[in-house]
């Protein structure tokens, strides 16, 4: 079996140890006599799986006890609707638009109330993070929505804004990659398929006092309180995805938690950006170091044909998923938590070789 290095934007690389454990337990989970896939979500064995996943996530992110952790479905895209449905008490909210998903979130919220776009980097195809000084936010908004990491464009918010109203963050593409102070946020949400597990699971971390104000029109399943009051078991949760998520949490704890993965992530990102900044062929799309994502690194040669040649040759070398999103073009290497340093090293080595041959 020849495994390649994947730089996919999501679903993306998984820790090999997690895949090995899942393989080992596929037919029989511990002493249950069955696969997790076959298990009732109301069984004792499954109870342990979901409870461990939650408590390990709480440990990793140091989540205070007045926050609920919800295991949901529908992807981060459903959160674009659930956030306003649950939090837009007076039907006004501030949105920071730093990318395609932020734009979608703002557009969805417009269905439910007044959306004030207080900052945007659309003028330069989202290749920077706009100034987020606290003075730009409206005191009478119900919340401020930000996207902590912009998957497509390769930017991230390094300094979270100080807001008087609850800060809501879409952390889909950088949750658990660096330390964050959960109590700075009213709500955090993330699709699992980058740093937390398989597609099909969405995690919401929400401060308890924000629950219970859902709009009357909201579907029962879109009310956070429904999910919170039923310990994510109002209906059948995505059982296998939560199990894999639990294994990833165990893996993260085993290597030293967020502190350790943050170090590893910086080491990987430094190697790649360091190469890009001295290269005569490749250029990083995001110029300002503080705005650069350490999860999604976007770069171009400036020549579309050469970009395509690079992507094709990289694939031949077992470096998969480096084609950039069509709205940016060029290349994007997604170097999430589970992407090992060796993968980034292999990519940088190949880039060096390609540069030599094509300059
Ligand atoms: N937000 C961000 C930052 C994303 O990267 C993505 C997906 N890549 C989404 C939202 C949408 O997530 P989903 O596909 O889970 O709906």
């Amino acid at each position: 079996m020849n495994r390649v290095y994947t730089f996919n934007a999501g679903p993306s690389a998984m820790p090999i140890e997690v895949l090995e454990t899942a393989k080992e337990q596929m037919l029989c989970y511990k002493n249950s006599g069955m696969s997790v896939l076959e298990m009732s979500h109301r069984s004792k064995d499954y109870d342990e799986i979901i409870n461990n996943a939650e408590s390990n996530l709480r440990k990793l992110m140091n989540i205070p006890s007045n926050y609920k952790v919800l295991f949901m479905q529908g992807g981060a895209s459903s959160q674009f609707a659930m956030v306003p449905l649950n939090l837009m008490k007076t039907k006004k909210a501030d949105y920071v638009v730093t990318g395609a998903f932020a734009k979608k979130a703002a557009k969805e919220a417009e269905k439910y109330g007044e959306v004030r776009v207080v900052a945007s980097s659309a003028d330069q195809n989202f290749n920077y993070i706009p100034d987020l000084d606290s003075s730009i936010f409206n005191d009478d908004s119900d919340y401020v929505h930000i996207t902590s990491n912009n998957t497509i464009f390769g930017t991230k918010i390094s300094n979270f804004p100080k807001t008087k109203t609850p800060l809501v963050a879409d952390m889909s593409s950088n949750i658990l990659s660096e330390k964050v102070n959960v109590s700075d946020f009213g709500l955090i949400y993330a699709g699992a398929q980058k740093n937390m597990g398989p597609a099909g699971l969405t995690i919401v971390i929400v401060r308890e006092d924000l629950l219970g104000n859902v709009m009357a029109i909201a579907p029962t399943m879109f009310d956070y309180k429904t999910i919170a009051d039923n310990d994510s078991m109002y209906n059948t949760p995505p059982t296998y995805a939560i199990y894999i998520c639990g294994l990833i949490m165990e893996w993260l704890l085993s290597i030293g938690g967020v502190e350790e993965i943050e170090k590893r992530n910086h080491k990987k990102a430094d190697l790649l950006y360091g190469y890009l900044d001295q290269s005569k062929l490749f250029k990083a799309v995001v110029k300002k170091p503080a705005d650069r994502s350490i999860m999604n690194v976007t770069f171009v040669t400036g020549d579309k044909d050469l970009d395509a040649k690079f992507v094709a040759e990289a694939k031949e070398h077992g470096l998969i998923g480096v084609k950039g999103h069509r709205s940016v073009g060029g290349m994007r290497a997604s170097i999430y938590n589970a992407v090992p340093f060796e993968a980034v090293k292999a990519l940088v080595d190949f880039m060096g070789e390609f540069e030599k041959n094509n300059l």
Side-chain angles (χ1 to χ4, degrees), residues 92 94 116 134-144 163-166:
K92 296 185 286 286
D94 288 2
R116 294 116 164 221
S134 58
S135 62
I136 66 172
F137 301 105
N138 295 293
D139 289 351
D140 65 344
S141 272
D142 294 316
Y143 61 88
V144 173
T163 58
K164 290 197 178 124
T165 56

Side-chain angles (χ1 to χ4, degrees), residues 9-10 74-80 100-102 104 147-152 170-174 189-194 199-202 296 332 336:
S77 301
S78 297
Q79 295 305 317
F80 298 166
F101 293 110
K104 280 188 178 166
T147 309
S148 57
N149 185 81
N150 298 283
T151 324
I152 293 175
D170 174 357
M171 289 196 186
S172 293
S173 50
N174 71 341
Y189 66 87
Q193 65 271 23
K194 297 149 197 326
L201 169 65
T202 311
N296 311 99
R332 168 180 53 178
Y336 297 121

Side-chain angles (χ1 to χ4, degrees), residues 156-178:
K156 77 154 181 173
I157 298 177
S158 286
N159 294 305
F160 293 119
K162 300 267 174 294
T163 58
K164 290 197 178 124
T165 56
L167 188 58
V168 173
D170 174 357
M171 289 196 186
S172 293
S173 50
N174 71 341
I175 195 162
L176 289 167
S177 67
E178 289 182 286

